[in-house]
Amino acid sequence: MADVLVVGAGVLGRSVAYALASAEPSVRVVLSGRRGPGASRAAGAMLGVLGEVTAAGLRTRHGTLRTGMAVEAARLWPAWRQRVRAVAEEVAPPGPDGYGTGTYVLLNAVSGPLDEEATEAMRGAGARYGLPVEDVDVPDVPSYRPLDNDRALRALFLPQEGFLDARRWLDTLDTALRALPNVLRTGSGRLRAAGEEYELTTPDGVFRAEKVVVAAGAWTSPLLTGLDPELPVLPVVSAEGTAVSVRAPQPAPPVVLRTPNRAYACGLHAVPQADGGWYLGASAAPALEPGEAPTAGALRFLLDAGLGQLHHGLATARVDRVHHGNRPVGLDGHPLLGATGRPGLWVATGTHRDGLHASPLIAQELTAQILHGTPSPWLAPWRPDRAPIADRSITEAVEEAVSHHAALAAESRMRPPLTGDWPGLLADAYRQLMEQAYGRMPDGYVPPPELAPLAYEQGPALAELARSHLDARAGWGTPRAGHMAVPRS
């Protein structure tokens, strides 16, 4: 018997298990999960606030709420890290985790107007939240040696943006969890409802508890469907990402180098690692289901961008590791955090690129809810059983998606013929494609721009996924055999 089951052993699952067990030594926590192509171990671990800001995001209510969460998480990180490391020390001294601060944002020509808009948005957000944003001379950016035709003409320095080595941090969390006698680690298993309890069947045994947290990342939706096929939790899809760790003759940058968010991704970035290597990331490809391995095209794009835009000397670097992960994305582009309509069931997923950075805040708030019933203003907007958030009209979403397509074309060095208005014609073609794709979606669902490729590549399947969720919400209050009626929010 356990008090809380935590299903999913990525950074959110581990952080929640640690927060629960360390807050109340009498609480017995079972943490279930397996290693696989999740987001956490493949992450670049930029603990960024301003670096993730975009102009379009700040124009929406929920985009602004996400930025506020990032600011609060950044405030918590130093103390959270020290606490976890202190507990890990009881088992074995934790090694260097690559933790540091400082990020250079490079504004180069290998994109479109999105980069300029994003850098101005960073300035505005910095002023709003009291975070410094400094103009710097491009020649002063350390470890930066792009090709001449990819060089930046402007750069910003964000001195308070954090970063660390994600793989070292996960190892530290694992050590801290081993130090807690009220945590049991087990492999992945089958979760099912068992009356008023939840039952988890694993290779190490069967565990029961009245409370369960599902933090299974991009694998969350099939797990919840198996638990209760009529549960109206917003579906979670995947954003596949590819990155590489390299060992180069050139020293790794002492801080993060990155471009603004663009081309549906978090921008190109280099993050120094605890062992002195470079982490280069990352690609982004939305998918309805997680992918098991990187594609050749993703690797080609990443290496071409990294060598051209950051440091062409990396052509002689040795590849230590290729990282492939599946970032969990809520169907409306936002996270799923908090209690569901089913008693005793919480969800923590859908954080896309924010999961590792937001993990201290999410773990803290969920722990207070689960142990003490404390409401959380940070988690309240992200109820897992909500209707899809639609801060943008279809027209606004289409225009933003068109801008990201244009940025992707520029970063891929697409050169249209110099006759007529080819750039304008291409934008019109993108717009027509997007309008057709968005027009196929059910009423009540506007795909976020980062999922726009899914809207036209797998439009019927995406529309059916959204429609099924909307139908499930509409019928959730109806009593069913073996279930209590639960009022909808």
Side-chain angles (χ1 to χ4, degrees):
M1 189 68 179
D3 294 300
V4 185
L5 306 175
V6 180
V7 180
V11 70
L12 284 184
R14 292 182 218 196
S15 298
V16 170
Y18 169 82
L20 286 165
S22 59
E24 294 286 351
S26 62
V27 172
R28 297 160 297 176
V29 179
V30 173
L31 174 60
S32 167
R34 65 177 178 86
R35 288 198 175 189
S40 299
R41 194 156 284 275
M46 295 182 289
L47 308 178
V49 177
L50 300 182
E52 291 294 312
V53 163
T54 64
L58 289 185
R59 285 195 292 266
T60 68
R61 173 175 175 263
H62 289 88
T64 302
L65 289 172
R66 295 278 291 275
T67 300
M69 283 187 68
V71 172
E72 179 65 10
R75 187 186 68 80
L76 297 177
W77 253 103
W80 168 259
R81 174 176 171 266
Q82 288 302 323
R83 286 199 302 273
V84 173
R85 288 177 65 85
V87 173
E89 184 84 33
E90 299 173 14
V91 173
D97 57 12
Y99 182 77
T101 57
T103 293
Y104 287 93
V105 181
L106 305 164
L107 183 65
N108 61 30
V110 195
S111 182
L114 277 178
D115 282 22
E116 294 169 322
E117 295 171 4
T119 54
E120 291 310 306
M122 291 176 199
R123 293 182 196 276
R128 176 174 180 173
Y129 294 103
L131 300 173
V133 179
E134 303 171 7
D135 288 293
V136 295
D137 293 330
V138 173
D140 294 336
V141 177
S143 304
Y144 178 57
R145 190 178 155 199
L147 294 174
D148 285 346
N149 55 336
D150 289 352
R151 70 189 186 281
L153 301 179
R154 293 166 52 199
L156 301 178
F157 183 55
L158 311 176
Q160 294 185 13
E161 300 281 278
F163 60 89
L164 83 169
D165 186 323
R167 286 137 296 280
R168 294 288 182 88
W169 177 245
L170 291 174
D171 291 343
T172 302
L173 269 174
D174 285 343
T175 305
L177 287 166
R178 288 201 303 274
L180 298 173
N182 53 329
V183 175
L184 175 67
R185 295 287 298 269
T186 184
S188 59
R190 179 177 177 269
L191 181 69
R192 72 179 189 90
E196 295 183 356
E197 296 179 335
Y198 295 91
E199 183 178 274
L200 180 67
T201 304
T202 77
D204 299 315
V206 179
F207 304 93
R208 283 195 172 205
E210 293 183 357
K211 299 176 181 180
V212 60
V213 179
V214 174
W219 289 265
T220 294
S221 289
L223 191 153
L224 291 177
T225 299
L227 177 69
D228 184 345
E230 297 182 56
L231 187 67
V233 170
L234 190 75
V236 176
V237 297
S238 172
E240 293 187 66
T242 299
V244 296
S245 291
V246 301
R247 188 166 303 282
Q250 303 80 10
V255 294
V256 171
L257 309 180
R258 66 167 298 166
T259 60
N261 288 351
R262 65 191 188 196
Y264 301 113
C266 52
L268 178 68
H269 51 273
V271 183
Q273 300 295 277
D275 63 0
W278 295 62
Y279 173 100
L280 291 180
S283 66
L288 291 176
E289 298 178 350
E292 291 296 320
T295 65
L299 276 171
R300 178 194 171 186
F301 177 82
L302 174 64
L303 291 173
D304 186 47
L307 271 58
Q309 297 181 49
L310 295 179
H311 203 305
H312 58 80
L314 294 178
T316 60
R318 301 294 178 180
V319 176
D320 277 349
R321 182 174 178 179
V322 176
H323 307 278
H324 179 72
N326 291 274
R327 308 178 188 97
V329 186
L331 200 65
D332 57 9
H334 294 295
L336 286 66
L337 304 171
T340 69
R342 186 182 184 92
L345 176 62
W346 284 263
V347 172
T349 188
T351 48
H352 199 182
R353 297 187 296 264
D354 303 342
L356 198 149
H357 174 57
S359 57
L361 178 60
I362 293 170
Q364 167 189 287
E365 298 299 294
L366 276 180
T367 293
Q369 277 195 3
I370 293 167
L371 297 183
H372 309 297
T374 307
S376 170
W378 296 109
L379 304 188
W382 319 115
R383 279 192 62 101
D385 53 3
R386 65 178 180 264
I389 293 167
D391 278 339
R392 302 172 179 88
S393 67
I394 290 178
T395 299
E396 290 168 336
V398 165
E399 288 305 312
E400 189 178 343
V402 169
S403 297
H404 281 281
H405 262 71
L408 180 60
E411 196 164 13
S412 302
R413 293 179 174 81
M414 184 175 180
R415 295 179 62 83
L418 299 178
T419 55
D421 182 24
W422 271 99
L425 292 173
L426 286 174
D428 288 342
Y430 292 144
R431 187 173 293 106
Q432 183 178 5
L433 178 66
M434 298 297 176
E435 288 172 346
Q436 292 173 348
Y438 275 67
R440 290 193 290 265
M441 296 299 117
D443 291 342
Y445 178 58
V446 179
E450 57 264 42
L451 296 185
L454 273 184
Y456 61 80
E457 291 173 354
Q458 301 187 55
L462 181 64
E464 180 55 32
L465 195 62
R467 187 176 294 108
S468 295
H469 174 62
L470 293 168
D471 290 346
R473 287 194 85 249
W476 177 243
T478 304
R480 297 165 287 146
H483 292 276
M484 295 290 290
V486 179
R488 287 181 287 132
S489 60

